[in-house]
Amino acid sequence: MAASSRVAEIEVVADGGARRDEAEEQRGKAGAGAAEQPDPVVDVYSAAAYGDLERLRGFVEEGGAAAALREPDGNGYHALQWAALNNYPHVALYIIEHGGDVNARDNAGQTALHWAAVRGAIAVADVLLGNGARVEAADMNGYRAVHVAAQYGQTSFLYHIISKYSADFDALDNDGRSSLHWAAYKGSADTVRLLLFMDCNQVRQDKNGCTPLHWASIRGNLEVCTVLVHAGTKEELTLKDSGGFTPVQLAADKGHRHLSYILSNATKVSFEEKYCPGRSKKIGYAPILFGYLVICVVLFLNSIVFAPNFSRITATAGLWSWAAITLFFAAQVMFYRVSRKNPGYIKANTKRHDPKEPLMEIDINNCSTWTGNWSQLCPTCKIIRPMRSKHCPTCNHCVEQFDHHCPWISNCVGKRNKWDFFVFLCMGVATSFLGAAVGFHRLWTEPIILSSSESWTHFMVTKHPGAVLFMIMDVFLLTGALILTGAQATQIAQNITTNEVANRSRYSYLLGPDGRFRNPYNRGCLRNCTDFLVNGYSNDEEAAWPTLQQTVQQC
Ligand SMILES: [Zn+2]
Ligand SMILES: [Zn+2]
């Protein structure tokens, strides 16, 4: 296929990486046995690579090697590039002050800023850019610093040069690819989030007709594809590359079955989108559940309580029946409440910003909930969401303390309606249990006269079909409600959400220093339960702030 051969054509700036690894290996050996190993710092270039300013000064000021600061080494690399790659700002400043050209290029046309971008060396980039380095310098492939940073997933570096030095994040390389194409191809989901957050063009096609989504699909980058699909429109899903393939076809062709399934689902126009365009929220299965419950209660009244073919109901059974009916109506009120209540939507930022302005300064630098985690950026709502929240693609909002989107209530379950949801589940369990108990009592105490060939089941099905149908429907409901209530109760006792349980290995804030699972929000079963029952949610900041700070410092 055309696309597969193109993948090999993409070349990454790897020169710096190879030399870097070589240099580091030598340094490692020197550290292990300094007496036997040769000294790695032999000239201006190695002194710059190792950040040895004293020796560098010696070479330049006493050894007469000042010219080397302006000339490349045997491989065509400049001393300033070595200092930039390994993030030695003081060395870089010394080289610039002693005649090194801040915009000097190697054989591939790369400058020291390109090399700083490989490692995400922000401090040295400040020195370079503060001394006249061109932020838009392009190498032979047309790669600028923004492209290199995207290729290496250096999100903080990218944000820094965009916000502080107005680097053009939408700039194209010689093949018509932007930094978003590269981040998508390389699978850096956080970089993709940042670029989308800044309104980087998502539908741009490169010389091969590929959008960022095409490249992410070819590589099978599931998380990147999900972010792109949520933030985009259906247009990217239907765009074809120059070979005539859509992202869905490319994913399937490359054997990424799960991804192609997700993409083809996203491509489908749902019933609601077709017939109720403009609805902010999908209807979901709530009407089906409501219909099911109504059928259950009609059957209960008609075929269990007031059934003419049963013997007269006893006073106790009658009392329990009315208790079940009352609970049923109370549960309906709760059902309405839980499906209509705001689950904790976070207000989207609708202000359009000028892309040339320092971006998101107010948000990112002053946000009290920002913990240095790029995955907190929501490219759709254009906000930095608090920890534990997540963007729900069905509701198209970020939800605080996101638990899950429940299609049966056609709403998200989050910070503001989790208590209602749990009470609704408990009421569901109690109602269906009472219904089942009364039904069982009625069927069990019914005097039966079986003919010799007839079984008890056959007798019940033919004589009380409504009652049997009710029992089946009710037990089905009871089982579902019990499982959900059990799961929710366990999670409440541990103060963890369904979403966190499902992604426990992916979320950095749920991992301890040893890399194992650790829930910073768990304050003990008793405290978790009382907090939930009294407030309906837990106060996260108070519970987890110190541990979250530690996590950030480790990053
Ligand atoms: Zn969002
Ligand atoms: Zn939702």
Side-chain angles (χ1 to χ4, degrees), residues 378-383 385 390-392 396-399:
C378 177
T380 315
C381 304
K382 301 268 186 278
I383 53 160
R385 52 187 173 222
K390 193 183 172 187
H391 185 84
C392 170
N396 206 23
H397 271 293
C398 280
V399 179

Side-chain angles (χ1 to χ4, degrees), residues 20-30 50:
R20 177 196 69 213
D21 295 343
E22 208 176 287
E24 280 198 337
E25 199 180 314
Q26 285 174 6
R27 181 161 51 166
K29 281 179 195 160
Y50 285 94

